[in-house]
């Protein structure tokens, strides 16, 4: 609610609410899980499909290099740059909500597909995926997260689409 915590933390809250809904049947947990999931999408670059550097990727927590403000949703409405780490973690957590029984809407599937496409497009050398928008240094953490993110996106979409994308 304060727009200052990392986006995957909000997705994690959605996963926790989904577990609680699944385990108790309390519809208020389901409502909260959906709210958390929808809130995270505010940090995903979805405005310009032609902007391959950003479209589908999730923004990092702060604007500037850990500068003042420490917020991801800026007052001017512009999202900070994409980070591959947050995008891949978000893919994993979104997939987990599907696995726990929170049915995806067509919009959820579009967000998942766009995030997977961003990760795939972030490969700047064979097996090397961007840590953040514009980076060109090899980072093993980003590479591992990207592979897992692409697999989770493929399998999550495979569970609800006739033919999932080949990431």
């Amino acid at each position: 609610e304060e727009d200052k915590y990392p986006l995957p933390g909000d997705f994690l809250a959605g996963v926790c609410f989904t577990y609680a809904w699944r385990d108790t049947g309390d519809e208020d947990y389901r409502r909260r899980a959906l709210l958390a999931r929808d809130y995270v999408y505010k940090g995903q670059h979805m405005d310009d499909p032609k902007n391959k550097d950003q479209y589908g990727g999730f923004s990092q927590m702060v604007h500037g290099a850990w500068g003042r403000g420490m917020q991801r949703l800026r007052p001017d409405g512009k999202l900070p740059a994409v980070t591959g780490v947050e995008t891949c973690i978000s893919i994993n957590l979104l997939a987990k909500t599907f696995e726990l029984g929170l049915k995806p809407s067509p919009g959820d599937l579009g967000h998942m597909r766009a995030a997977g496409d961003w990760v795939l497009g972030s490969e700047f050398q064979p097996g090397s995926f961007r840590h953040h928008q514009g980076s060109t240094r090899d980072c093993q953490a980003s590479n591992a997260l990207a592979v897992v993110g692409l697999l989770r996106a493929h399998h999550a979409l495979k569970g609800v689409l006739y033919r999932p994308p080949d990431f």
Side-chain angles (χ1 to χ4, degrees):
E1 294 172 345
E2 295 180 28
D3 294 334
K4 66 179 182 181
Y5 300 106
L7 290 167
D10 294 317
F11 249 139
L12 185 55
V15 169
C16 291
F17 289 135
T18 305
Y19 269 114
W21 164 68
R22 184 196 68 180
D23 294 347
T24 67
D26 185 339
E27 285 298 312
D28 191 51
Y29 285 126
R30 181 180 176 280
R31 179 188 64 79
R32 292 172 77 182
L34 292 170
L35 286 173
R37 193 166 72 180
D38 289 344
Y39 181 79
V40 175
Y41 296 146
K42 290 181 181 182
Q44 187 179 22
H45 289 268
M46 295 294 286
D47 292 338
D48 184 5
K50 293 177 185 170
N51 184 348
K52 298 300 179 192
D53 288 334
Q54 291 187 331
Y55 187 76
F58 284 84
S59 62
Q60 62 185 9
M61 181 176 80
V62 298
H63 51 90
W66 303 106
R68 65 176 203 258
M70 296 291 287
Q71 61 194 47
R72 64 176 178 272
L73 301 177
R74 300 178 345 188
D76 65 6
K78 290 185 178 183
L79 291 175
V82 172
T83 172
V85 171
E86 297 219 6
T87 300
C88 293
I89 292 170
S90 294
I91 287 171
N92 279 284
L93 294 172
L94 177 58
K96 188 66 179 175
T97 66
F98 297 173
E99 292 165 5
L100 291 171
L102 198 59
K103 299 288 184 220
S105 70
D108 295 320
L109 300 177
H111 285 282
M112 176 69 86
R113 174 66 191 257
D117 284 342
W118 185 89
V119 173
L120 185 62
S122 78
E123 187 179 29
F124 62 94
Q125 294 178 32
S128 294
F129 295 85
R130 297 193 192 287
H131 181 277
H132 58 275
Q133 182 181 331
S135 66
T136 57
R137 294 182 187 226
D138 190 24
C139 173
Q140 294 305 304
S142 297
N143 297 340
L145 286 168
V147 170
V148 172
L150 289 172
L151 285 170
R152 289 296 294 274
H154 175 81
H155 287 288
L157 292 170
K158 182 179 178 182
V160 293
L161 297 178
Y162 177 68
R163 184 155 196 264
D166 292 323
F167 290 119

